[in-house]
Amino acid sequence: MAYDEGLAERLRELLSRRPAVTEKEMFGGLCFMTHGHMFLGIVRGTLMARVGPERHAEALRQPHAREMDFTGKPMKGYVFVEAGGFDTEADLAAWVERTLEFVATLPPK
């Protein structure tokens, strides 16, 4: 399963000034991690965003967001965002911020 290289480059650009961000190919896509925690991923052309359980419902109200059902059942705290939800750099940056805000609350691994 391939992932959208154009989206990966856009994310790399947004994350280039962030310390401790790494990327890893997994789940058939690409994941971005910080301090051992996955916070964003790309599955084909879809953004996988880890927003946390407390902001899950809010994230689902965003345009083009839907339940993340990677394993066949919804995963609380994660959403998939279709391309229309991150067309602009501002929209993509907002998803980056949502995910980084959540993982900042987690202890380092």
Side-chain angles (χ1 to χ4, degrees):
M1 186 183 311
Y3 58 86
D4 182 332
E5 279 290 343
L7 177 54
E9 284 304 315
R10 289 175 63 201
L11 287 169
R12 288 178 185 122
E13 177 65 29
L14 283 171
L15 296 167
S16 66
R17 294 179 208 107
R18 305 274 183 165
V21 171
T22 59
E23 54 184 81
K24 183 176 184 177
E25 290 191 14
M26 53 197 287
F27 307 122
L30 182 67
C31 291
F32 290 87
M33 304 174 76
T34 187
H35 303 291
H37 298 287
M38 190 282 294
F39 63 97
L40 276 175
I42 306 169
V43 178
R44 293 186 188 103
T46 302
L47 188 68
M48 178 176 55
R50 185 177 186 188
V51 295
E54 293 173 0
R55 296 189 71 191
H56 184 84
E58 174 189 332
L60 286 174
R61 289 191 296 271
Q62 301 305 309
H64 306 281
R66 63 180 171 88
E67 294 272 3
M68 183 180 141
D69 55 357
F70 192 77
T71 62
K73 68 178 199 176
M75 294 178 65
K76 185 92 170 170
Y78 294 82
V79 296
F80 278 144
V81 184
E82 299 303 329
F86 52 85
D87 277 343
T88 69
E89 293 311 300
D91 290 338
L92 186 59
W95 282 108
V96 168
E97 289 306 315
R98 282 182 189 99
T99 61
L100 286 172
E101 284 174 13
F102 172 69
V103 295
T105 68
L106 302 174
K109 285 188 174 183

